[in-house]
Amino acid sequence: ETDAKIVITSTWRKYGLGRITLSRILKKHDLDDIVIGLTPILPGKERGDEIKQFLSCLSEIPNFVILDNDSDMGELTPFLVKTNWRVGLTEENAREAIKKLKSVHLQNRIEVK
């Protein structure tokens, strides 16, 4: 509905078995073709800092949402759609993400330099 792409920020990206499992899950749901990268692993930093680092490498910052069960997003918190680790992504989460992606007021509201 939004032509969104996926950047993996999950802790699973840090380990070989986690990356393999995640890859299988994405493939099972036909999402593997829209994964465009992984955020860097920055020891001692919050996930929000890793996301900002990834965004700083883009020539243009698109509108984005963060789907996560953790809240360590710092100033990126307005972009967070908080999920429950026991349940995963719900229809309600998906609707909230779509709404945020289509929202003009969040676009380009972050300084990543």
Side-chain angles (χ1 to χ4, degrees):
E1 189 173 325
T2 64
D3 291 323
K5 305 296 184 221
I6 297 174
V7 177
I8 305 298
T9 64
S10 171
T11 303
W12 290 19
R13 78 192 190 288
K14 296 180 179 183
Y15 310 101
L17 183 57
R19 286 191 303 272
I20 291 167
T21 302
L22 188 56
S23 178
R24 287 181 181 153
I25 291 168
L26 291 167
K27 188 173 185 79
K28 178 181 175 182
H29 295 283
D30 294 322
L31 297 171
D32 55 321
D33 288 343
I34 61 171
V35 175
I36 61 168
L38 307 168
T39 55
I41 298 166
L42 304 175
K45 297 288 186 173
E46 291 186 337
R47 190 151 322 166
D49 296 321
E50 295 171 338
I51 294 168
K52 282 181 66 173
Q53 178 66 36
F54 182 89
L55 291 171
S56 73
C57 296
L58 301 177
S59 58
E60 180 181 322
I61 300 172
N63 200 12
F64 62 98
V65 296
I66 302 165
L67 304 172
D68 208 307
N69 63 323
D70 286 326
S71 299
D72 60 344
M73 301 305 152
E75 66 183 285
L76 297 182
T77 299
F79 299 90
L80 176 64
V81 173
K82 185 115 167 46
T83 60
N84 180 314
W85 69 272
R86 290 185 179 143
V87 179
L89 184 67
T90 65
E91 282 292 324
E92 182 180 340
N93 295 145
R95 283 192 302 273
E96 181 182 354
I98 291 167
K99 183 178 178 181
K100 285 183 181 239
L101 284 170
K102 290 182 172 184
S103 176
V104 175
H105 79 278
L106 281 180
Q107 290 179 343
N108 299 318
R109 298 282 192 221
I110 188 71
E111 178 63 41
V112 295
K113 304 289 186 235

